[in-house]
Amino acid sequence: MKLTRTEKAAAAVLFASGDPISAGRLAQVFDCDEAAVHWMMERVMDYFDEEESPLQVLRLDQQYQMSTREEFSQPVRKALEMKKNQPLSQAAMEVLAIVAYNQPVTKAFIEQIRGVDSSSTVNMLTERGLLEEKGRLDLPGRPVSYGTTAHFLRSFGLESVGALPLVPQSGEEEEELDGQVRMEKV
């Protein structure tokens, strides 16, 4: 497979950016509609796969980003002297799940579900780029609402939050059977 000059230019834009770029922005750059951008980016992704390139293009909801493939992460980190990421705590995973499935949400909403102060966890996840402020609600105190980021999608290998597993319906019981967990009615 050969890429067209425009497809090569799209790959160059992603490479130069380093950050995710929306399909809408790419459509403006290449003077086309978003459907054409998605088709073009699918071809670029297929090209990198066929060539077994150390690079890949990720689709993150309605954005695209170029990155290295996971199998090359160790030498890249070593070369860039990046610190190894610390695993997320149980509390951080709980907060991420609450936000991912209910976004945008406030700290108060998260704390209501968890039953504990979650300010430090939300702040840490924001610092790590997994959560971001999505705006302020028109309520007393104008609380900040939070949502997940493209970095969250990339970190968990998701194309969009729509790719998250379905939440079990209420009434199902949480019990561990042959490695499967079910939700228990409280």
Side-chain angles (χ1 to χ4, degrees):
M1 163 193 280
K2 285 193 166 203
L3 295 179
T4 65
R5 182 165 175 77
T6 303
E7 291 163 345
K8 290 176 183 178
V13 168
L14 293 179
F15 177 80
S17 168
D19 293 324
I21 299 180
S22 71
R25 181 70 182 129
L26 290 170
Q28 290 174 341
V29 169
F30 295 105
D31 195 28
C32 63
D33 61 21
E34 288 187 28
V37 167
H38 292 304
W39 181 83
M40 177 173 54
M41 296 315 303
E42 286 294 325
R43 283 192 36 88
V44 173
M45 288 189 268
D46 290 345
Y47 174 80
F48 282 121
D49 287 344
E50 285 180 17
E51 294 295 316
E52 296 180 10
S53 171
L55 302 175
Q56 64 183 347
V57 174
L58 300 173
R59 182 172 178 176
L60 308 167
D61 203 6
Q62 293 296 309
Q63 299 179 328
Y64 293 92
Q65 181 176 19
M66 186 172 288
S67 73
T68 55
R69 294 192 188 273
E70 189 174 337
E71 64 255 32
F72 301 105
S73 64
Q74 293 297 26
V76 169
R77 285 183 186 175
K78 191 173 181 180
L80 299 177
E81 298 177 354
M82 297 172 84
K83 294 180 183 176
K84 188 174 183 181
N85 287 336
Q86 294 177 333
L88 295 173
S89 66
Q90 181 67 32
M93 294 299 283
E94 289 173 6
V95 169
L96 278 175
I98 292 166
V99 175
Y101 281 100
N102 300 287
Q103 62 188 313
V105 299
T106 62
K107 284 183 189 177
F109 179 83
I110 296 166
E111 291 168 354
Q112 180 182 9
I113 291 176
R114 293 192 66 231
V116 295
D117 178 39
S118 300
S119 295
S120 63
T121 306
V122 170
N123 292 339
M124 179 271 298
L125 292 168
T126 302
E127 287 172 12
R128 287 193 180 187
L130 296 169
L131 296 181
E132 67 184 356
E133 292 184 13
K134 295 291 187 179
R136 292 191 172 268
L137 299 181
D138 194 19
L139 297 171
R142 307 245 326 129
V144 174
S145 63
Y146 293 89
T148 57
T149 64
H151 181 59
F152 165 82
L153 296 174
R154 198 172 40 255
S155 296
F156 288 90
L158 300 169
E159 186 175 301
S160 70
V161 290
L164 287 167
L166 295 177
V167 176
Q169 298 299 315
S170 63
E172 295 181 16
E173 298 183 14
E174 181 179 315
E175 50 190 66
E176 209 162 307
L177 298 172
D178 299 325
Q180 295 181 346
V181 176
R182 300 181 197 277
M183 298 303 289
E184 180 177 324
K185 186 176 181 181
V186 184

